Amino acid sequence: MSTLDQSYVTKGSWRPDLFKGKVAFVTGGAGSICRVQTEALILLGANAAIVGRNKEKTDAAAKELEALRPGAKVVSLPNIDVRDVKQLTAAANKAVEELGRIDFVIAGAAGNFLSDFTHLSSNAFASVVNIDLIGSFNTVKACFDQLKKNKGAIIFVSATLHYYGIPFQIHVGAAKAGVDALSNALATELGPLGIRSNCIAPGPIAETEGMKRLAPGVIDQVAARVPVQRLGTKQDIADATVYLFSPAGSYVNGEILVVDGGAWHIGQGIGNTDYPVTLKKVQDGKHSYRL
């Protein structure tokens, strides 16, 4: 089910048809955050191609996204592993074949789970880095010709985990730190070609798969530790996305836009509320955050 509807246009901050004629290519487009980013772009006039691993989920999401706006076109690109640049290149070519172009790229495919260092295998660490970081690189690589041709823009979905040490998130923190560095380097390299590259770093966002998996039973406590005293909404991320892709953000390049209500400044994170007591229990095998 879609999060946004036509009221996003009629009652929101953005003018209708802001992205008319534009096309977005989105990895992770059937997920929580990347899906609502795609919804906003479609409602404001864009067409989209969404990339996913699961065919049933990706196909269903594409149909629901297409129903958001009369005349919208959304291409489902399932069974794609972002770790394989050849698969992503074929997906990008299919998107251009169906939709004519690619203007915006959202690299949002990601993997995550909770594990402390002593229980985290090298393969598990590599898997997250390969999906989050290598997958992001591959996404831009696959879309580069179109981005160059259309003077497009890139948004990487990052995080705030690497701004400080969060227990049980070593793998994701390392991967997202790499994503930030990738975006910053691309901003300088591709800027002269007319391509902008930025990151959005969401904080704790309500009703997302991440919050359900990473903060089960403690969501109220997480919200209480956010300075603005609430969890973020998926629309908060959608609005940040629209801003960065819109003419209003045309001079924003190489930026990491944190959307977290100020949470990272106070050490928001799983395991931090009772640090180091719970960490010691996990290391001693007396407690587990693993799912």
Side-chain angles (χ1 to χ4, degrees), residues 6 17 41-47 64-73:
Q6 280 295 325
D17 294 331
L41 299 178
I42 291 169
L43 285 165
L44 295 172
N47 292 323
E64 292 174 359
L65 288 166
E66 199 167 68
L68 285 171
R69 175 176 55 81
K73 295 180 180 179

Side-chain angles (χ1 to χ4, degrees), residues 33-52:
I33 285 178
C34 294
R35 167 156 176 167
V36 79
Q37 291 177 290
T38 310
E39 289 175 7
L41 299 178
I42 291 169
L43 285 165
L44 295 172
N47 292 323
I50 59 171
V51 174

